[in-house]
Amino acid sequence: MTRLSNDPAAFADEALEGFVAAHPRRVRQVPGGVVRATRTAPGQVAVVVGGGSGHYPAFSGLVGQGLAHGAAVGNVFASPSAHQVRQVARAAETGGGVLLAYGNYAGDVLHFGQAAERLTAEGIPTRALGVTDDMSSASPDEAHKRRGVAGDLVVFKTAAAAAEAGQPLDEVTRIAELANARTRSFGVAFSGCTLPGADRPLFTVPEGRMAVGLGIHGEPGMGERPVPTADEAAELLVSTVLGELPEGVGSPRGQRAAVILNGLGSVKYEELFVVYRRVAQLLEQAGVQAVDPEVGELVTSFDMAGVSLTLCWLTDELEPLWTAPADAPAYRKGAVEAADLYVPDPSAETAEDTVPPATDASREAARTALAALRVLKDTVGLHAEELGRIDAVAGDGDHGIGMQRGSTGAYEAAARAEALGAGAETLLHRAADAWADRAGGTSGALWGVILRALGSALGDTERPTAPVVATGVARASAGVMELGKAEVGDKTMVDVLVPFSYALTAATEAGQPLATAWDTAAHSASAAAEATADLLPRMGRARPHAEKSLGTPDAGAHSLALIVRAVHGVFVPTLENH
């Protein structure tokens, strides 16, 4: 368990602050994460990696010469927001464009994808690549759905070495894609991890048993078997990884491979060396030559007791990139020629916080929106532990703390905007950005969409009516489905948002006052949330463990239903009833 922490909600920020203080010659902190402390050659492609906290040395520890140019750092087990990714990318790029590389998790796909689109629109050519090395999370036919685990390191390393060699963006991207296509990983665990402030692990393994095919966010394994000896564990890992060869690798014999034996947090180095002793023997027997093998903690999951094996089948092009020198806080290879330190311009400060003009009617609506956000925050806080337990059944258990961080950030940003005299649109837009930044992950992105759509519908000038509110909810529903690619029946928040929107629109079109219409729609939302217990998830981290979630409602659907029920009477004092 995590024994040393202050406020669990501040753990990721405080860990990053301490990390930067410990490595001032290699990294410097920027909004959203860290970048190299040294200067990068003008025109060099910037490889920006990232993901949630809790995986050190991924992702901040992999920033440095010969490796990543920057890392966007999210909260514990939650992806950084698109805004954070953009801030890090802008700080890291020097005119050659940006490659964003990350693990293939739903929240990361949403946020890094959004960031790539916005950066490109702003004139910074950007590509995005999700690493998909985890064999256990999807079949070979659906390899694009696989998670990124310790294979992240191989993809990041080869791409960054190509960038360091002066390759253009398209070539760096091609090399990263090649490395990803030729990388496979498989892991086992003996216990789950415990998040900061929590009193129990995200999953447990029965005494004498071992979880097989786990993720790095506290997701339980795909199955169980008796605890093996070290040699038996090595044999399982090697036979599994060698059992699925990438396209173009007809036989292991005669092949050269980058090899990583990765400890997930609590399996110590001596134990790893005992396992690697047998791994090396088995690879040699199979005719595989290990090239610069890595044994240690490289992509972790807090205190999870587990180990994974990664092989990247090298080509003549990939091998010199894998063996090239690198100097990052947590990963050093060979010798690099030290670059000069970068000195930031102290005059580059943010402008004074102001808000656009708004009418008295819209400022009144903004005060009501702030009251709704306060009720939302309090409701999430009351149910955070329950939401985490629901999410942990088949996911990573972070929904409660993520919603708590997001709703608190949204309320605080809204309160600042209201104090400056913001209208409803500006207040909700700032709340949306703060929610996405503070929460990260899939829920952060989607709640950012919801609040932004509501704000755009309300505007900064008019007194909102019930039909206008219903229009905002309808736009939010459409935006969530567009961004998340989920449909009704996928066991996500969409299963609640869509019927809530339909019911609210129908009631307001029938002339019902907002409070009455909202109450009617909230009942539809509650029923829809309960019905998700009978569904199997087809999206997100719960998808690989679909059967385990049967009988339990979706955490995102449940939290949305709780929220719309809690805030249903807040709007009456300000909004017109027709």
Side-chain angles (χ1 to χ4, degrees):
M1 62 182 295
T2 305
R3 295 173 178 84
L4 294 173
S5 65
N6 297 309
D7 177 2
F11 183 88
D13 291 338
E14 292 180 348
L16 186 65
E17 183 181 349
F19 164 74
V20 172
H23 299 284
R25 294 193 60 80
R26 290 185 174 85
V27 296
R28 62 184 176 91
Q29 190 164 2
V30 296
V34 296
V35 296
R36 293 182 185 180
T38 52
R39 291 188 177 277
T40 298
Q44 185 176 121
V45 173
V47 176
V48 174
V49 304
S53 298
H55 305 299
Y56 191 85
F59 295 88
S60 54
L62 303 179
V63 174
Q65 288 182 253
L67 238 167
H69 296 75
V73 181
N75 276 300
V76 175
F77 288 178
S79 69
S81 71
H83 181 58
Q84 290 171 306
V85 176
R86 287 166 60 210
Q87 288 176 304
V88 173
R90 287 197 199 100
E93 72 92 23
T94 61
V98 176
L99 172 64
L100 303 176
Y102 49 91
N104 189 44
Y105 296 87
D108 296 284
V109 172
L110 292 180
H111 287 291
F112 280 88
Q114 281 185 315
E117 292 176 2
R118 293 177 187 174
L119 286 165
T120 299
E122 293 164 4
I124 302 174
T126 304
R127 309 285 187 270
L129 173 67
V131 180
T132 55
D133 59 304
D134 180 24
M135 298 171 62
S136 66
S137 54
S139 68
D141 293 338
E142 293 187 308
H144 64 284
K145 295 182 179 180
R146 287 178 167 175
R147 305 177 290 209
V149 287
D152 286 353
L153 175 61
V154 184
V155 177
F156 300 167
K157 174 67 173 65
T158 52
E164 203 85 46
Q167 298 281 3
L169 178 59
D170 286 343
E171 277 299 290
V172 172
T173 304
R174 182 188 63 78
I175 286 166
E177 291 170 343
L178 176 63
N180 184 48
R182 297 178 70 89
T183 302
R184 300 289 186 273
S185 297
F186 183 75
V188 298
F190 312 100
S191 70
C193 62
T194 304
L195 299 183
D199 59 2
R200 61 176 66 91
L202 291 177
F203 74 89
T204 58
V205 182
E207 188 72 25
R209 305 285 289 177
M210 172 182 72
V212 177
L214 57 120
I216 59 168
H217 295 91
E219 306 99 323
M222 308 303 294
E224 290 179 3
R225 61 177 63 192
V227 172
T229 64
D231 282 0
E232 289 169 344
E235 289 158 10
L236 172 63
L237 294 170
V238 172
S239 64
T240 302
V241 175
L242 294 187
E244 184 190 307
L245 300 177
E247 184 178 351
V249 181
S251 166
R253 189 157 300 280
Q255 299 290 335
R256 297 169 66 81
V259 181
I260 300 172
L261 186 67
N262 178 58
L264 284 156
S266 291
V267 176
K268 304 320 296 174
Y269 276 71
E270 286 86 349
E271 296 175 87
L272 293 174
F273 290 136
V274 171
V275 175
Y276 189 74
R277 158 192 156 276
R278 184 58 177 153
V279 168
Q281 293 170 355
L282 293 168
L283 291 177
E284 184 178 5
Q285 290 171 15
V288 179
Q289 182 171 347
V291 178
D292 274 11
E294 297 286 348
V295 179
E297 294 183 349
L298 295 158
V299 179
T300 63
S301 184
F302 272 111
D303 60 335
M304 181 184 286
V307 60
S308 66
L309 178 67
T310 298
L311 263 68
C312 175
W313 301 93
L314 297 171
T315 64
D316 290 343
E317 182 179 34
L318 291 176
E319 183 170 339
L321 301 174
W322 169 244
T323 60
D327 184 26
Y331 187 90
R332 298 170 196 173
K333 179 178 288 188
V336 301
E337 183 178 345
D340 294 335
L341 290 177
Y342 175 85
V343 180
D345 181 0
S347 65
E349 301 291 339
T350 57
E352 182 183 356
D353 198 3
T354 59
V355 295
T359 63
D360 289 341
S362 186
R363 282 195 287 268
E364 185 179 353
R367 287 191 287 273
T368 300
L370 178 62
L373 288 169
R374 183 176 61 250
V375 171
L376 189 163
K377 172 181 68 71
D378 293 344
T379 300
V380 168
L382 184 64
H383 295 277
E385 186 175 349
E386 173 196 3
L387 295 174
R389 286 198 305 269
I390 293 173
D391 189 38
V393 170
D396 55 14
D398 71 340
H399 185 68
I401 192 170
M403 289 289 290
Q404 206 166 15
R405 285 192 299 253
S407 60
T408 299
Y411 174 73
E412 292 172 351
R416 290 192 294 271
E418 191 274 334
L420 292 168
E425 179 176 14
T426 297
L427 181 142
L428 286 169
H429 281 188
R430 295 196 178 183
D433 291 342
W435 191 312
D437 278 359
R438 288 283 292 275
T442 305
S443 66
L446 299 181
W447 272 97
V449 167
I450 290 171
L451 296 182
R452 182 165 287 274
L454 285 168
S456 296
L458 268 56
D460 276 339
T461 57
E462 301 299 324
R463 182 182 179 88
T465 63
V468 166
V469 174
T471 297
V473 172
R475 291 177 182 173
S477 179
V480 165
M481 287 192 288
E482 171 62 25
L483 181 61
K485 309 303 179 188
E487 300 176 353
V488 172
D490 285 343
K491 195 164 186 170
T492 69
M493 70 185 303
V494 167
D495 290 297
V496 169
L497 185 55
V498 168
F500 175 74
S501 176
Y502 283 167
L504 184 64
T505 297
T508 56
E509 287 179 347
Q512 290 186 14
L514 179 63
T516 304
W518 193 276
D519 185 57
T520 300
H523 278 94
S524 297
S526 297
E530 292 177 9
T532 62
D534 299 325
L535 299 175
L536 290 174
R538 299 192 295 236
M539 303 286 287
R541 289 182 192 162
R543 179 190 54 78
H545 304 279
E547 297 78 10
K548 293 184 178 181
S549 78
L550 196 60
T552 302
D554 176 68
H558 184 57
S559 62
L560 177 57
L562 289 173
I563 287 166
V564 297
R565 164 57 56 203
V567 304
H568 91 275
V570 171
F571 306 105
V572 178
T574 300
L575 302 182
E576 294 178 356
N577 290 333
H578 55 78

